[in-house]
Amino acid sequence: SKVLLNGVFSAAWLSSMARITLASTAAFSPATMLFVVLPLWAGGGLVAKNAVYDPFVAGQFTLGQYEWTLENKYITDKLTVKKKAGSTDELRGVNVEVPVVVNGVPQGEIRLYTAENKDPTSFGTGLSIEELEYLAEVINIQIQKFTSESIVDQ
């Protein structure tokens, strides 16, 4: 029902924005259009993305002794949207973070940190904080196990 509501709202929003944009092109300067109308289009686009795209993306995190992979797939297993991979030895751990709070509800995600730590990889959006904390604990235990085994093997 939330997806349907977001879809209906974004369709109404974007159709209203189209009419407003057409009506205001003669009345406002291009700079005003850029700073006023463009953010409103972007907001409608984000709501549409939440309704049309996000519910159909599934993530899969695989952690092996030598390599980890994170894949986001859209609708089917055949269409990979985003894939990251790396060596398990470079993993430093995962942490649950709350990047945003929507209507008083924290929206959490798991962030995967590597040795470079430049751009942590995020996954697990849409899960509850409790589920994310459980997954983070299990993943950190497994990372610790694999990295300590690789030190012993050398």
Side-chain angles (χ1 to χ4, degrees), residues 32-131:
T32 303
M33 294 292 292
L34 180 69
F35 291 113
V36 174
V37 177
L38 189 62
L40 296 172
W41 274 102
L46 287 174
V47 172
K49 176 187 168 285
N50 289 338
V52 176
Y53 176 77
D54 289 349
F56 304 105
V57 174
Q60 179 179 350
F61 178 69
T62 307
L63 179 61
Q65 185 170 359
Y66 303 107
E67 182 182 54
W68 62 270
T69 58
L70 177 63
E71 292 183 273
N72 288 334
K73 297 176 185 245
Y74 185 69
I75 297 178
T76 69
D77 286 344
K78 299 185 190 303
L79 184 58
T80 300
V81 179
K82 184 167 91 172
K83 181 176 181 178
K84 288 192 174 186
S87 170
T88 302
D89 288 338
E90 295 177 1
L91 292 178
R92 295 299 172 252
V94 297
N95 192 21
V96 175
E97 296 189 24
V98 178
V100 67
V101 176
V102 178
N103 295 329
V105 178
Q107 305 294 311
E109 65 186 14
I110 294 178
R111 292 207 179 149
L112 178 68
Y113 293 94
T114 61
E116 300 156 356
N117 217 15
K118 294 177 185 171
D119 184 26
T121 303
S122 300
F123 63 97
T125 56
L127 298 175
S128 70
I129 298 296
E130 293 80 18
E131 292 169 321

Side-chain angles (χ1 to χ4, degrees), residues 61 63 94 96 110 130-146:
F61 178 69
L63 179 61
V94 297
V96 175
I110 294 178
E130 293 80 18
E131 292 169 321
L132 293 171
E133 288 173 347
Y134 173 76
L135 286 173
E137 181 181 350
V138 170
I139 292 169
N140 281 328
I141 289 169
Q142 198 62 38
I143 289 172
Q144 186 177 17
K145 179 181 173 193
F146 282 148

